[in-house]
Amino acid sequence: MKTELSPGVVAPRRGAGVLLLGPAFVAAIAYVDPGNVAANLTAGAQFGYLLVWVLVAANIMAVMVQYQSAKLGLVTGHSLPELLGQRFPTWGRRLFWLQAETVAVATDLAEVVGGAIALNLLFGIPLPLGGIIIGAASMALLLMQNRRRQRSFENAIIVLLGVITVGFLCGLIVSPPSAGGVLGGLVPRFQGTESVMLAASMLGATVMPHAIYVHSTLSRDRHRPVGSDAPDERTLSRLIGATRWDVVSALAIAGAVNIGMLLLAASALSGREGTDSIEGAHAAITTTLGPVIGAVFAVGLLASGLASTAVGSYAGATIMGGLLKVQIPLLLRRVLTLIPAVIILAVGMDPTQVLVLSQVALSFGIPFALIPLFLLSRDRRVMGRHADHPALQVAAAVSALLVIVLNGVLIWLTFVPGG
């Protein structure tokens, strides 16, 4: 039975936790977008198992920060962008929105480009037209997203996540990785500037700033409907417990997909010519593992581009609404953010390189999301008794510091002569 506590808030009964899952699976789509495909395949093909440790560390970090974001939305009833918008002066809100919006546009660029590549691989559709098709298809998904129909949107995204998982992991059945290579890849190390850039790209593709912003909104909208009173402490504690399982389950799947992509590239593509692009990697997978595996991989890429661009558009709207207090229709935003991707596809830029560079750009936006989340999550004036415990506070601070240091090393190696 359900126990009504306040308008729109329902106490979760024991054993019904599975019915509360969903928001984290939507956020997890950001962790398996086409940018991940480009970064992980490139890393595996060029460096074998060297950078497995980066994905493991990044996924552990992702579990922590997505849990913090979801808990923030549940406890406060506000999204992370809304909380920041309440605290910043007008000029601060605008500057913060500018960097966050840049990250959101870079994300959307990668997702549309990846979906267009998939359509080209599957059906030979020209890349610019493929980008337009992906944009139009994502609009259909976005029509399902509002507070009254969020569960339908979540279910559609979960189905696409299943397609992505099968598409990207089935190749491991045909070409299993080396156990010794995997264990060796868990030892943190680099091999030159290129490996550092790829590590930053993989980190930017795995810990996604826009996913941090949007998860607080998804969690709030699912469990604290508009017009509802705050849940009592008992209900809130049980919702937080269910959210913890939601995050762990969703990110475990996303992490397995990311690591699986790198392992597939390391086992099947290492040393092969032309694997520095998604198209080349797909051709090598098809040649090495067979046309069926190649086709399934392309279908996974298509599902990745479609699902992630819908979630990215929703995240961008959340960021704008919270920081600028401006709401524009989701579909209009989808059209506006589609334009840069279609232009890049039309002018003939290397789409895989665009994907990798977009993920590097994302890694520079991570501290701007992590640090405010860390400060708000530990503040008892904001979170009450649900503020982060000291151990989680230390882990969050170390994570933010590692990201900043990695980006600093990347800048040094890239731009300083002899660095």
Side-chain angles (χ1 to χ4, degrees):
M1 282 179 66
K2 297 177 179 178
T3 305
E4 292 290 342
L5 297 172
S6 60
V9 179
V10 180
R13 59 182 174 82
R14 294 189 183 277
V18 67
L19 300 178
L20 301 176
L21 304 182
F25 284 82
V26 176
I29 285 293
Y31 293 84
V32 289
D33 76 351
N36 294 83
V37 180
N40 296 333
L41 289 182
T42 302
Q46 291 188 12
F47 295 99
Y49 301 100
L50 177 73
L51 299 177
V52 171
W53 67 272
V54 175
L55 289 180
V56 173
N59 206 66
I60 293 172
M61 190 189 305
V63 171
M64 177 183 65
V65 300
Q66 294 304 144
Y67 169 66
Q68 288 179 306
S69 176
K71 186 174 69 169
L72 184 71
L74 276 176
V75 173
T76 66
H78 296 286
S79 69
L80 176 57
E82 286 173 347
L83 291 170
L84 295 177
Q86 293 168 7
R87 286 160 172 75
F88 287 157
T90 300
W91 64 268
R93 286 191 289 109
R94 290 172 179 171
L95 286 177
F96 197 93
W97 169 80
L98 184 61
Q99 67 79 26
E101 190 67 35
T102 301
V103 167
V105 170
T107 302
D108 194 61
L109 175 67
E111 292 157 352
V112 173
V113 169
I117 293 173
L119 288 174
N120 179 262
L121 294 175
L122 287 168
F123 308 111
I125 296 174
L127 290 176
L129 178 58
I132 294 173
I133 292 173
I134 290 295
S138 67
M139 289 182 191
L141 271 177
L142 287 170
L143 287 173
M144 303 173 65
Q145 172 54 40
N146 59 57
R147 289 195 179 190
R148 292 179 296 277
R149 300 179 59 194
Q150 181 171 330
R151 191 58 188 265
S152 298
F153 181 69
E154 290 173 1
N155 289 339
I157 295 297
I158 289 171
V159 169
L160 288 172
L161 179 60
V163 175
I164 293 166
T165 303
V166 173
F168 290 150
L169 296 186
C170 66
L172 291 174
I173 299 174
V174 180
S175 180
S178 160
V182 174
L183 291 175
L186 295 175
V187 179
R189 63 194 193 279
F190 295 108
Q191 287 181 6
T193 305
E194 182 65 22
S195 68
V196 177
M197 177 170 284
L198 277 173
S201 179
M202 292 159 67
L203 184 63
T206 306
V207 183
M208 301 287 275
H210 77 287
I212 298 172
Y213 295 124
V214 78
H215 200 165
S216 55
T217 303
L218 291 165
S219 181
R220 185 271 315 272
D221 287 356
R222 165 69 95 84
H223 301 301
R224 296 186 61 165
V226 177
S228 67
D229 297 332
D232 63 26
E233 282 297 321
R234 178 173 173 271
T235 300
L236 185 57
S237 295
R238 293 181 67 181
L239 286 172
I240 290 173
T243 294
R244 190 180 299 117
W245 282 108
D246 190 27
V247 171
V248 170
S249 302
L251 270 297
I253 294 173
V257 171
N258 278 317
I259 294 171
M261 281 190 282
L262 186 146
L263 298 182
L264 178 64
S267 63
L269 306 181
S270 184
R272 294 181 64 93
E273 295 292 331
T275 54
D276 55 348
S277 68
I278 290 181
E279 298 94 330
H282 173 262
I285 289 172
T286 301
T287 301
T288 305
L289 306 180
V292 173
I293 298 297
V296 174
F297 175 87
V299 170
L301 179 63
L302 178 59
S304 169
L306 177 58
S308 59
T309 193
V311 174
S313 293
Y314 178 57
T318 295
I319 292 167
M320 176 178 284
L323 289 168
L324 298 187
K325 307 184 189 307
V326 173
Q327 297 286 351
I328 64 173
L330 268 176
L331 297 187
L332 175 59
R333 179 182 177 85
R334 168 68 280 172
V335 171
L336 293 176
T337 56
L338 181 63
I339 294 173
V342 174
I343 291 175
I344 285 178
L345 291 171
V347 299
M349 294 180 65
D350 179 359
T352 301
Q353 188 64 18
V354 169
L355 287 175
V356 173
L357 291 176
S358 71
Q359 305 312 300
V360 174
L362 293 184
S363 71
F364 286 94
I366 297 172
F368 291 97
L370 277 184
I371 293 174
L373 178 65
F374 161 65
L375 294 175
L376 289 169
S377 296
R378 68 192 293 269
D379 191 339
R380 288 191 172 274
R381 294 170 298 178
V382 176
M383 301 293 290
R385 63 184 290 266
H386 300 288
D388 289 343
H389 296 296
L392 185 55
Q393 292 180 30
V394 171
V398 170
S399 297
L401 179 62
L402 286 175
V403 172
I404 294 169
V405 169
L406 180 59
N407 289 330
V409 172
L410 176 61
I411 292 172
W412 176 266
L413 292 176
T414 303
F415 298 108
V416 176

